[in-house]
Amino acid sequence: DADVTQTPRNRITKTGKRIMLECSQTKGHDRMYWYRQDPGLGLRLIYYSFDVKDINKGEISDGYSVSRQAQAKFSLSLESAIPNQTALYFCATSDLRGGGATDTQYFGPGTRLTVL
Amino acid sequence: TQLLEQSPQFLSIQEGENLTVYCNSSSVFSSLQWYRQEPGEGPVLLVTVVTGGEVKKLKRLTFQFGDARKDSSLHITAAQTGDTGLYLCAGATAGNMLTFGGGTRLMVKP
């Protein structure tokens, strides 16, 4: 079974609709992230959470909100979807190793969202 | 403005050829990671380099971190069709957050 799962895998919606993308992990990691991927732009951070009570904005949080329902669950919402939010969305988790070491991020399979 | 510039953006080569992908920045990173992403999947970590000048080898892949910790390269020797994918570099900044480059899409033809 996959350690990081995302639902749905694909979604087509219309402008103005509210959309929720869900992420679940069985890795037991405290840190969770939401990124969007656009061609040629790599991955850009939307929101991140270091534990259940911690939520932080990333580079491109406008138009998005998140909820950390439990250690294992982190959902991303688009309150009123617009066409330029069409992208691949990835959830990731990591475990703080400390001592200056860089976390390894473990990514889910992605959600392809199309906003018409 | 992207902090990390990857080049080339696209690369199409024949099986058996060598190639190098570059990741450049004007910023210093505490470490740099390389990920590989296949269609329909999320990125998977290949390597982390931490020390300026560090070289790491993973079978036919050689990763180097620049002396000033601002740039990195990935060299693949004798590419195989299984190397096809999107290669992403990511620099670790304050708070251990990652900034990703735009990616290099590699196609290895048989």
Side-chain angles (χ1 to χ4, degrees), chain A residues 3 43 50 63 79 81 95-96 106:
Chain A
D3 294 319
L43 291 158
F50 284 173
E79 297 301 324
D95 194 17
L96 177 61
Y106 297 88

Side-chain angles (χ1 to χ4, degrees), chain A residues 9 37 42 90 101-104 108, chain B residues 31 33 35 37 40 42-43 45 96 101:
Chain A
R9 293 295 313 276
Q37 185 175 40
F90 287 98
T102 302
D103 295 352
T104 297
Chain B
S31 64
Q33 298 183 325
Y35 288 79
Q37 183 181 5
L45 180 69
N96 235 349

Side-chain angles (χ1 to χ4, degrees), chain B residues 44-56:
Chain B
V44 175
L45 180 69
L46 294 173
V47 77
T48 302
V49 284
V50 179
T51 308
E54 181 176 4
V55 176
K56 279 193 174 178

Side-chain angles (χ1 to χ4, degrees), chain A residues 1-70:
Chain A
D1 288 340
D3 294 319
V4 184
T5 56
Q6 292 183 234
T7 55
R9 293 295 313 276
N10 289 283
R11 181 72 184 268
I12 300 173
T13 191
K14 294 183 179 179
T15 297
K17 294 291 187 182
R18 184 178 188 275
I19 297 297
M20 180 181 284
L21 308 183
E22 299 190 353
C23 176
S24 293
Q25 53 116 344
T26 59
K27 298 189 77 67
H29 289 168
D30 285 327
R31 297 181 161 197
M32 297 187 74
Y33 310 80
W34 274 104
Y35 292 91
R36 68 176 276 176
Q37 185 175 40
D38 300 276
L41 295 179
L43 291 158
R44 292 182 292 166
L45 184 64
I46 306 173
Y47 270 96
Y48 61 101
S49 168
F50 284 173
D51 64 44
V52 175
K53 296 178 182 178
D54 177 73
I55 300 288
N56 304 281
K57 291 183 178 181
E59 179 188 353
I60 53 163
S61 59
D62 287 349
Y64 303 94
S65 62
V66 290
S67 173
R68 185 81 184 266
Q69 301 95 322

Side-chain angles (χ1 to χ4, degrees), chain B residues 6 33-34 40 63 98 101:
Chain B
Q6 280 188 245
Q33 298 183 325
W34 284 91
F63 304 86
L98 293 180

